[in-house]
Amino acid sequence: MAVWVDDMRIAKHGKLWCHLVADSWEEMHAFALQTLQLEQRRFHRKAKLPHYDVTVYERELALQLGAVAAHHRQIVVCARKLLASV
């Protein structure tokens, strides 16, 4: 199992943002909420594809803590697999 962070740099609210997903729902939420200590509101439950928004700084921290860098297309594939597992 893996946690993935993409290479996007979306400018919003004065910060640059990326996306975080994982191979399982449990792993994604545990990594985001416990390991990175993100707020639950960062999870985009109603988005077309489930993910957490992370700042570029948080992306680097996630990588240091074991997440895997991924192209944003790979994030889409992972998020679709999560949806299919519901």
Side-chain angles (χ1 to χ4, degrees), residues 5-63:
V5 287
D6 70 12
D7 54 357
M8 296 293 290
R9 299 290 191 271
I10 301 167
K12 190 171 184 178
H13 304 297
K15 296 180 181 178
L16 294 176
W17 298 85
C18 307
H19 305 102
L20 179 141
V21 298
D23 291 335
S24 73
W25 292 96
E26 296 81 13
E27 188 174 22
M28 177 174 62
H29 291 304
F31 193 90
L33 300 174
Q34 296 167 11
T35 304
L36 288 180
Q37 298 183 350
L38 300 180
E39 295 177 11
Q40 177 66 35
R41 66 183 175 89
R42 295 274 201 90
F43 178 60
H44 286 257
R45 179 183 330 275
K46 295 182 182 180
K48 186 161 58 168
L49 297 171
H51 68 278
Y52 278 88
D53 284 341
V54 294
T55 64
V56 173
Y57 169 79
E58 291 163 339
R59 177 187 187 272
E60 294 305 316
L61 180 58
L63 292 171

